Amino acid sequence: MLLQRRLLCTQVPKRSIHPTHHQNSNLNNKKWAIKQVTKSNFAETLEEIKTHIFNSDFIAVSLQKTGAFSSPWQKVLPFDTAEVAYLKAKYAAERFQVLQFAVCPFSVKSSKIIAHPYNFHLFPRDELKMGMPSYSFFCQSSYLTAMAQEGFDFNACIYDGISYLSRAQELAAKDRTGNPLPRSYMKPSQSPTVYSVADSMFVDRIKSRIKIWKRTCQDSEKKTEDDLISTLRKIVSGGEVFGSRPSLSIDICSERQVQLILETLQEFTDLVPLLVPAKKELQLMEEEHNMQVRGFREVVDLISTSQKPVVAHNAINEFAFIHSKFIAPLPSTVDEFRSSLCSVFSHIVDVNHLMREIGPLNKVNNLPAAILYLKRRFTRPLHMEIPQHIDGDEVRVHGRDVLRISELFAKLCLILRIVPESPEADYSTSSSTLECYANVFNPCFISSSDLLDDDVNISTEKTRRISVANLVFLWGFRGMMSARKLKSLLKGSHEVFSGEIDVRLADRNCAIVVFWAPGFAERFLKVMNSGGTNCEPIKDMISEGLRAACYRTYKRVCELSIWEPSLADALEKALEEASDLPEANSEEELPAICWDNDELTNLDDL
Amino acid sequence: MNGSSKFYRTKIPVVRMVVVMKNLFTIRAFHKSLISLSSSTRHFFCSSSSSASTFAIKNVTKSNFESALNDLRLYVKDADFVAVDLEMTGVTSAPWRESFELDRFDIQYLKVKDSAEKFAAVQFGVCPFRWEPHRQSFVAHPHNFYLFPRQEIKGDDTSYEFLCQTTSIDFLAKYQFDFNLCIREGVSYLSRSQEKEALGRLNARYKDRLLDSSSCWREGVDTKLVRVADILFSERLKNKIAEWHDGLLGDRNGASQTWKTSNDSKQQLKTIFFKMRPALDLTGFTSHQLRLIQLVVKNHFEDLVYACVAGESSSQQLIVYTDSASGRDLLMKELKDCLCKEAEMKIKAAIGFRHVIDLLSSEKKLIVGHNSFLDIAHIYRKFIGPLPSTAKEYVISIQKFFPYIVDTKVLLNASTVCQKISKKSSTSLSKAFALLCPQIASGVKTSGLADKRLVKVEVQVDNKRSLNWNSGAKHEAGYDAFMTGCVFAQACSHLGVDFTLNPSSVDLSHHEKLQEYINLLYLSWINGDIIDLKTGERKADSICSKGFKAHHSKILFSNTVLLWAFPAKLKASEIRECFCKVFGSSSITFIYHVDKTAVFIQFSKQELVSDFLVLKETLERSNDPISVLHPLSKVLQGGRTRAASYEVYKQICSSTISKVFFADQAEAVGIEWNAKLSKPVLEVERQVDFEASENQLYTDTRNETEIVSGIDPPLYMHSPTDELDSLCPAEAQMSK
């Protein structure tokens, strides 16, 4: 204890000496003090993190996965509706694996963040030999390479990573094994037991005890006795009643003795052995068993029961993984997903979504850049304090994103006035403010203000809101073409393009066209379906292979999981299948998305 | 202690001298032992030293790949045969993708194909063996390559994605596989088809660019100047460039250097020479600024060219001066060629480990593997190209690259001589090695007479040699390849191949004693089905079928129905009972579990297949009490139960999707085949039946005998009947 205090003391002066560097050194500090957790130190850490989770105001989480999306169009794109974004996140969550799960319970007190960062190394080892938690998983070599460059120790992760079972898997496992108690006791071993002297003495003693008890039982059945005498007799012989049958309890203290008694009992044909663990033992065994079965999920359950707000970056992706690995298989629609998730975590806050609230930041999708931006714009200092001490000089960088998320969230809270600035007031008073930011599962591109006003987005001048009915996918144009070229080509081809249009590439050979004037998209599709009658340029392009599809086809691609590497191929396939089916619910109300010119520019670089 | 140190301190010079002399002595001694080791190895062997040498195997990673490859070229050129072995990240992508007894020949191939397509090879063992007549022993050079499919060039991203089977990864971990080394330092590779594709893309790109050289460098140059800062920046740069430009012209006229710049911009704009032309090197600008500069150059300077050249570490941005229009075109062409060549070099460099495969292929050496059909499929998929859809096309193609392949598992099971020696015990690699090559496996020398028949194998790693080398690293590809080679050499000797008689090396590929076994591989060990690589057919007179197929001949695929998504927890015996109630007690030959969600049901007569499918259809359509009380309703309960003929199983297996449970898989694949046919289910199945009857011809050639009815057939549950070490199927395959 004394030692620990001294260690803490040495850290404090360091900070006070360089107050000016403080802002930079928070996260650039070489000692990240993120506790790295593997199977070997999991049990002790679990107790530790439990208290931190219950004593902190927020919990930041961040996951390191083995991959994200297989081809450019399969990542969540700016023109995706919530439904489509969810289907994409679902596909990724079902394929890839989580190798690191960073958890950071933190509190914000005036201008201080008190954080307790942990990074758990996971590996889906089949501890119960039941093909769970994961039969197989995909890896993207670029992801593994990037992790290797950060110095990630794959050997430690695979040899010593913590396994887990989801809630659904645990139920299935219980269903299959039935009794959580070890079954090896139930059938005595075939090999004849070699008795030691002590063993044979024990066996003899037990044997005679059983014999006496049995005799008493049989005797008492024959003659009626005085109540007092029969009670005394019971006490002496140790007889009890189990259900309606007479029974005898034998206290044992080792597994060896269990084995011996079971073997002894084989001599008595009319006796059935029942193994009743002592209460305390039972509890211990169950806890141990649960720990072994649930593994890392214990942490997820702790976060869940604490009811603390969970902060994440790109929440839809992170929570699709969390849901599929630790709760249950992902449902097929975003609404089911949302309600299922809300029953586990009461508040989920996406820092991406909060950033959106501060207008110009909406482009910043990268954590360090966002932090830097906020530091420049809002100079109020915020100190990060990590009370836990970690020995050893290893670089503890893994899981540092979780600290960045905590810091970013704290800063955003100050700016958006979500958390009261007085140190006395606690989180509960401010919860109503937070409430309106929580559980927004639209892709990060839609801000809550958009949900209120349905026309043009007001937060920035560049983002505009548009119904997906005005979007058309185009592919089959000649060779590799830039969006700009395609736009000029289209402009001259037909009058529908005379109005304001935007053209962007969704992937290498598929483009998306936005018709800002309503009704033009439909007209264009009609022209395309007619084969370009009355319009030679379009006719020529169609003969060269130009194809078009509405947004609904794109949605169908995701619904049917047609995850072809190229979007054009996927749309083609979806069209083929759709042609066999009657055009159903065409009147369905189409959602709107936000169109931001700037966010799409990077697609041109493909 | 204290005293002695004091003592030494006083006599330092003396002590130091002693130490020096000792050092000299030990060095000399060491040197001597090295000489004796390498020069008199025969003597070394005769003295029957039983202590196994344990120097490390030759591990090859990125850093020593080039030198190892150069050495390997020589070893392979001289080799009599080359043993290979692979370690993969997994074997089956779903439990039902494991090999079943009920898998027809074409389906066995589909399962191997799926495995080779999804999993990565992480370790590749190559071990060339050469017979040295004067030593009367083989010399082996075991190499253990670490592979990792790192993406070195741009292209199809999906080929840099691979599956890991959790149990297999755990298995590798159990044998201390170094994942860090593999991911950080593993050698990457490019298949022949990937290379071709990349070169094709490259050509297309540069052809395109030649067509319109104006938009050569970057699209989107016409960024509009909106912000004041941009306008100011552009203006400043315009002046700077103009200054430099004028300075150049002035310079040529013999005037002195007039271009003066502040310290700041001197760092950003530096005059250099690019391909004999004066140029400005732009450094320290943001990409946005560079775009603006590009714009300035394009709009205001006719004789300047903005160029982006790939440098050693990062790309270099230049403004190059050209004195005429033709000079400009020439520069553009030069730049293009330069870029093209660079990209080509990059592609060539990305070939990586495939050089080893190309080497083995071009040298046409005899390739030796152990139960190697899957290994060879991996080699094909990783280093040649996508796997063909049928086994026949595949083997014809593989023979072009590897004309001589021999499998020790086939050898051990096929030859009566080898069987006698192995006493019909397990033919797993490590067991066979211990049995056939005890002198290498355990380093124990057996009695002189038996010893005579043992083939000696000397191992050479770099400059170290040993006759009883044993790295002990089981399930390491390099060591497994070594064991395979030893087993092969020993098996050859038992088959009557006499290495000692020949003055030079033996031509094993054409040796008459081996002809019977060359180019035969187990397509599926569990069925004992052997594929002939020369014809692509199943080996008709299965030379190695002994003991396997007590019931195999009973499988009639056209009599088989696949049933899935029936009510959970319905046991095979219950299903059987239901069916027997409807079609008679002898109607069912057997029921075989695919997994807990699906079963195969084989009827005694072929008509019963369609009878059942029709009956199922009618029962599902009508809702009257009779159909509810129908015995089959127990199976159809819930309304999700599906049934189809055997051909649908093939369709489901050929899908690239892999769901863990068969019922889920069928549903996922079903989206495709339902939509394609988009007819009532009944017709789908009829059509499929028609295909099945076409396939009858296929089954007839296999001499299938009619089922003997009346015998109560057993209820087959699939259990790995393979080897003792098949704790789990993944391991069984991996440990072979």
Side-chain angles (χ1 to χ4, degrees), chain A residues 46 143 183 235 372 408 481 537 557:
Chain A
L46 195 60
Y143 267 71
R183 310 186 111 198
I235 291 166
L372 205 67
L408 194 58
M481 204 182 278
V557 162

Side-chain angles (χ1 to χ4, degrees), chain A residues 70 95 123-125 134-141 144-145 148 151-155 158-159 175 484-485 580, chain B residues 92-95 148-149 157 160-166 169-170 173 176-180 183-184 220 569 675:
Chain A
S70 308
R95 282 158 62 82
F123 186 73
R125 203 175 304 99
S134 159
Y135 185 81
S136 61
F137 55 89
F138 272 95
C139 293
Q140 275 174 327
S141 58
L144 299 189
T145 310
F152 182 73
D153 188 347
F154 289 93
N155 287 346
I158 293 164
Y159 295 0
D175 212 32
R484 199 175 306 276
K485 247 184 182 169
D580 296 335
Chain B
T92 52
S93 57
F148 187 68
D157 294 331
Y160 298 99
E161 205 172 279
F162 59 89
L163 197 62
C164 291
Q165 195 179 346
T166 315
I169 298 292
D170 216 25
Q176 308 293 312
F177 184 86
D178 192 340
F179 295 96
N180 286 337
I183 294 166
R184 284 178 203 161
K569 289 178 183 171

Side-chain angles (χ1 to χ4, degrees), chain B residues 302-449:
Chain B
E302 282 246 296
D303 47 3
L304 294 186
V305 175
Y306 182 91
C308 170
V309 189
E312 290 108 59
S313 54
S314 60
S315 63
Q316 201 178 11
Q317 313 285 333
L318 297 174
I319 298 173
V320 189
Y321 173 78
T322 54
D323 44 10
S324 64
S326 61
R328 184 191 166 99
D329 288 349
L330 194 70
L331 172 70
M332 296 302 254
K333 202 184 163 324
E334 274 176 39
L335 280 173
K336 243 167 269 168
D337 290 348
C338 183
L339 279 179
C340 194
K341 203 167 266 169
E342 230 162 73
E344 234 177 82
M345 293 281 283
K346 227 174 168 185
I347 293 170
K348 291 283 173 220
I351 289 172
F353 182 76
R354 205 194 78 216
H355 283 301
V356 176
I357 302 301
D358 286 349
L359 171 67
L360 295 181
S361 174
S362 63
E363 293 290 335
K364 301 216 179 305
K365 290 293 173 186
L366 176 66
I367 306 292
V368 183
H370 187 83
N371 203 4
S372 57
F373 192 81
L374 182 64
D375 288 357
I376 304 285
H378 267 285
I379 292 174
Y380 192 96
R381 179 71 190 84
K382 266 55 187 196
F383 310 113
I384 295 169
L387 286 162
S389 54
T390 66
K392 191 157 189 166
E393 289 170 70
Y394 164 68
V395 296
I396 288 167
S397 191
I398 200 86
Q399 285 281 279
K400 281 189 210 143
F401 294 97
F402 302 107
Y404 313 105
I405 300 173
V406 75
D407 191 295
T408 46
K409 188 128 184 152
V410 173
L411 211 58
L412 293 178
N413 284 290
S415 80
T416 36
V417 187
C418 290
Q419 275 213 311
K420 225 174 255 170
I421 290 157
S422 62
K423 297 171 191 96
K424 293 196 175 172
S425 78
S426 151
T427 47
S428 82
L429 180 59
S430 53
K431 294 237 172 75
F433 182 61
L435 205 67
L436 267 78
C437 320
Q439 82 284 12
I440 312 168
S442 48
V444 177
K445 220 171 156 287
T446 43
S447 63
L449 199 73

